[in-house]
Amino acid sequence: MPRDNVARGASDALVRLFHVSKSYLAGSFALRDINLELGRGEFALLTGPSGAGKTTLLRLIFGAERPSEGQLLVLGRNISRVGGHSVAPLRRRIGVVFQDFKLLPRHTVEQNVGIALDVMGVPAREKRARVFAMLKRVGLEARRAHHPLSLSGGEQQRLAIARALVNRPQLLLADEPTGNLDPDLSIEIMELIAAFASSGATVLVATHDHGLLRRYGRRVLRLEAGELVDDGVSGAQP
Amino acid sequence: MSLPFAQTALRTALSSMRASPVTSLVAVATIGLCLLLIGAFVLLVANMERLLDHFGEEIRVSVYLSEETDIEAQQQLAARARIAPGVLEVELLTREAALERFRQHQPEHATLFEGFGESPLPASLEILLAPEQRNEQGVAILVESLSGLPGIGELGYGHEWVSGYAHVVSLLYGAAVALCCVLLPATFLIVAGTIRLSLYARRDEIEIVRLIGGSRGFVASPLLLEGITCGACGGLLGLVLLYLCYRLLLPAFEGGLSLLIGTAEPVFLGIGAACGLIAAGALLGLLGATIALLQDELRS
């Protein structure tokens, strides 16, 4: 059974959902009555079968969609009420790794990462240094002048992560970040994310990879048919 | 707009133009042709206005004196004219002096008055107005102050001709405005269409930038810059075409042009007007891009 997250550590929560539902058609819910909190520095995995509502939940949290019902607070802002112009500043504080990467094909690797700093108005010199450091961290510094389409799937995934992390977000959302990768590469990507989580950021990763759930599942949220059916601790390795 | 923001916007705008060169070229050519036509009218009107100003400098009122005025009366009338409002200079032209001047100015007709015992031409006062009075109102004030004085005959100042010419200039000016009214909206729409195509081509990219926190200004600025760049290039193209037409076609139309600007040497647009044409192109591009963005925003 889902535990009462709303009562737990409310002052520390970066993400709070109060009876949040999302429906696209009347009577048909993609998410139904979700109550959830993610505390500061928490690393949680979101799992469930395809179509369970994982991506919808992530999209609600970074303001790509609005809840049909309920209240959703992210980094102190009520997403349900925030105006269109206020969503952009909020998104700059959230790093998102998209399932389909969403890389800019006409931009180089360096520019793809740099754009996350461009939207924040970071000066050019500082941007170059931060982008280079981040590319080094994900092992893409030698590929910085290449375009995304010339990269392998794993490299594109690392590039997407680099872009999500380069602006040092308070909250990282990752949607199936290891979806199409082999097990070794999956571990490599998750290690990157875990290392970021250990720096004090809140991380929510959507995955249906049981191996990852066992290895990293300190807190596992399970969605089924749009409902949060479980919120507990998996057999995470220390 | 901060420097990194501007750099990114400019880089994105240029990369977008490079990615769809045909569309960008169509926008540049459209703006260029539109501004060529408008520029041609501006050039013609500017030259005619210049001639009008020249006429103004040359305006002299001739006051013909009646035959019975003797030299003393003529000098008194000249003194009276010197203190009339707006008068800068008065020259008394006796009958003999008038005949002499005629012979000098019209040597081919010099024999016309041979055989006359004395000059058949009337004495006159040639009055030059002060620069600020060289207009319809200034002439009217002078005419009113001199009319009816004993010894004053006919007054001539070629005013009707100058007024007629000014009327033609204002008609051409009106035609240029009408041309702008027809061409500018059409150009706006073509530029807006170009930017809209660019928007569609970059839709995915724009969506990604929005998802990672790009503000409305961050997304819109490359498109506005693209519009401004296309517009300024179009303005420059229009200016270059206008100059080429001016240099290459002017000899062919010199006869017809002399009807409009007389013997005056035609001049090309000054640096201010040339920069104005480029700026007009940039403004066209900016407005076209703004229309496209507003349409897109309304649609979404």
Side-chain angles (χ1 to χ4, degrees):
Chain A
M1 288 292 290
R3 58 187 173 182
D4 184 6
N5 294 300
V6 177
R8 181 178 62 88
S11 60
D12 238 13
L14 285 193
V15 179
R16 289 191 215 172
L17 287 85
F18 299 91
H19 304 287
V20 166
S21 297
K22 176 69 184 176
S23 65
Y24 297 101
L25 293 167
S28 163
F29 285 91
L31 287 174
R32 187 195 292 266
D33 197 27
I34 306 288
N35 290 288
L36 173 68
E37 273 195 8
L38 287 174
R40 198 176 295 275
E42 196 161 13
F43 183 6
L45 297 180
L46 179 64
T47 190
S50 296
K54 302 188 293 293
T55 300
T56 304
L57 182 59
L58 295 183
R59 285 176 63 80
L60 285 175
I61 294 173
F62 72 86
E65 295 187 37
R66 300 289 173 93
S68 309
E69 290 170 24
Q71 302 295 318
L72 169 53
L73 276 79
V74 179
L75 303 172
R77 304 298 301 266
N78 190 337
I79 290 273
S80 322
R81 291 183 189 167
V82 80
H85 60 282
S86 302
V87 173
L90 184 69
R91 284 181 183 160
R92 284 177 223 147
R93 296 163 65 195
I94 304 173
V96 184
V97 181
F98 299 94
Q99 195 170 6
D100 56 355
F101 313 145
K102 293 204 185 300
L103 300 172
L104 302 168
R106 287 198 306 218
H107 291 55
T108 62
V109 164
E110 190 171 14
Q111 288 166 348
N112 262 280
V113 179
I115 194 130
L117 298 175
D118 286 334
V119 298
M120 297 174 73
V122 174
R125 186 175 294 181
E126 185 189 340
K127 183 182 86 172
R128 268 197 300 275
R130 282 171 67 174
V131 167
F132 187 76
M134 183 51 68
L135 287 176
K136 202 169 175 186
R137 196 167 153 194
V138 298
L140 287 175
E141 74 273 26
R143 307 278 269 160
R144 63 181 184 278
H146 289 72
H147 286 81
L149 294 179
S150 68
L151 303 181
S152 69
E155 286 173 325
Q156 288 186 23
Q157 188 70 276
R158 279 184 280 159
L159 175 55
I161 290 172
R163 186 183 63 193
L165 299 185
V166 75
N167 61 357
R168 299 166 192 154
Q170 291 169 270
L171 171 65
L172 176 68
L173 306 172
D175 192 0
E176 303 284 3
T178 60
N180 300 311
L181 305 179
D182 60 57
D184 286 345
L185 212 49
S186 296
I187 298 292
E188 189 187 318
I189 295 292
M190 284 304 289
E191 284 299 321
L192 268 173
I193 293 173
F196 179 69
S198 65
S199 69
T202 302
V203 176
L204 178 60
V205 179
T207 181
H208 53 247
D209 184 329
H210 292 287
L212 296 181
L213 291 173
R214 278 192 299 277
R215 192 176 173 107
Y216 297 97
R218 293 163 194 141
R219 181 181 173 195
V220 177
L221 308 162
R222 183 168 181 79
L223 282 173
E224 271 179 24
E227 292 187 37
L228 186 62
V229 294
D230 192 17
D231 181 357
V233 178
S234 175
Q237 291 178 355
Chain B
M1 192 188 278
S2 68
L3 191 60
F5 187 99
Q7 281 174 336
T8 308
L10 191 62
R11 194 183 60 222
T12 312
L14 293 176
S15 125
S16 169
M17 287 173 76
R18 272 200 304 272
S20 48
V22 177
T23 318
S24 302
L25 281 176
V26 167
V28 169
T30 309
I31 295 175
L33 290 175
C34 167
L35 291 179
L36 168 67
L37 287 173
I38 293 170
F41 264 88
V42 169
L43 187 60
L44 186 62
V45 171
N47 272 290
M48 291 178 79
E49 278 187 336
R50 204 169 63 92
L51 189 66
L52 206 56
D53 290 343
H54 179 67
F55 286 152
E57 287 165 16
E58 294 287 306
I59 281 183
R60 278 174 190 273
V61 178
S62 296
V63 180
Y64 299 103
L65 306 178
S66 51
E67 277 192 29
E68 55 272 20
T69 49
D70 57 17
I71 188 72
E72 196 179 334
Q74 288 170 5
Q75 281 168 347
Q76 280 173 357
L77 280 171
R80 171 71 186 77
R82 280 188 190 97
I83 56 165
V87 170
L88 183 70
E89 197 180 298
V90 176
E91 183 187 1
L92 170 62
L93 213 60
T94 61
R95 297 174 68 181
E96 291 68 31
L99 183 59
E100 187 53 37
R101 182 176 285 186
F102 178 83
R103 282 176 176 148
Q104 277 173 7
H105 288 185
Q106 311 273 335
E108 67 276 19
H109 299 123
T111 56
L112 210 62
F113 296 116
E114 274 179 9
F116 284 89
E118 55 181 19
S119 169
L121 299 177
S124 63
L125 300 176
E126 296 292 315
I127 301 174
L128 180 65
L129 289 169
E132 66 277 9
Q133 295 297 320
R134 288 172 193 164
N135 50 43
E136 207 169 340
Q137 203 182 359
V139 171
I141 291 169
L142 176 70
V143 169
E144 197 183 333
S145 71
L146 296 181
S147 299
L149 287 176
I152 296 286
E154 202 179 327
L155 283 95
Y157 43 90
H159 178 252
E160 291 82 1
W161 195 88
V162 174
S163 289
Y165 189 83
H167 186 62
V168 172
V169 173
S170 61
L171 277 179
L172 273 174
Y173 184 77
V177 171
L179 189 74
C180 287
C181 290
V182 175
L183 285 180
L184 293 185
T187 311
F188 281 148
L189 292 179
I190 290 170
V191 176
T194 307
I195 299 297
R196 211 177 302 123
L197 283 176
S198 184
L199 243 161
Y200 288 141
R202 294 180 50 222
R203 185 160 292 282
D204 291 346
E205 195 176 313
I206 289 169
E207 183 56 27
I208 292 168
V209 172
R210 281 186 178 137
L211 287 176
I212 62 173
S215 62
R216 189 184 290 175
F218 189 87
V219 170
S221 53
L223 293 160
L224 294 175
L225 271 177
E226 190 178 336
I228 291 171
T229 309
C230 277
C233 290
L236 190 63
L237 176 70
L239 187 65
V240 169
L241 289 176
L242 185 64
Y243 185 73
L244 289 176
C245 291
Y246 173 77
R247 300 301 298 179
L248 301 176
L249 300 180
L250 194 64
F253 292 103
E254 215 152 22
L257 204 59
S258 66
L259 286 175
L260 288 173
I261 62 168
T263 53
E265 187 70 24
V267 292
F268 193 65
L269 299 178
I271 189 84
C275 291
L277 207 62
I278 296 172
L283 189 65
L284 265 176
L286 175 66
L287 290 176
T290 307
I291 290 170
L293 282 166
L294 288 175
Q295 283 174 335
D296 185 65
E297 204 153 300
L298 284 175
R299 206 169 291 130
S300 58

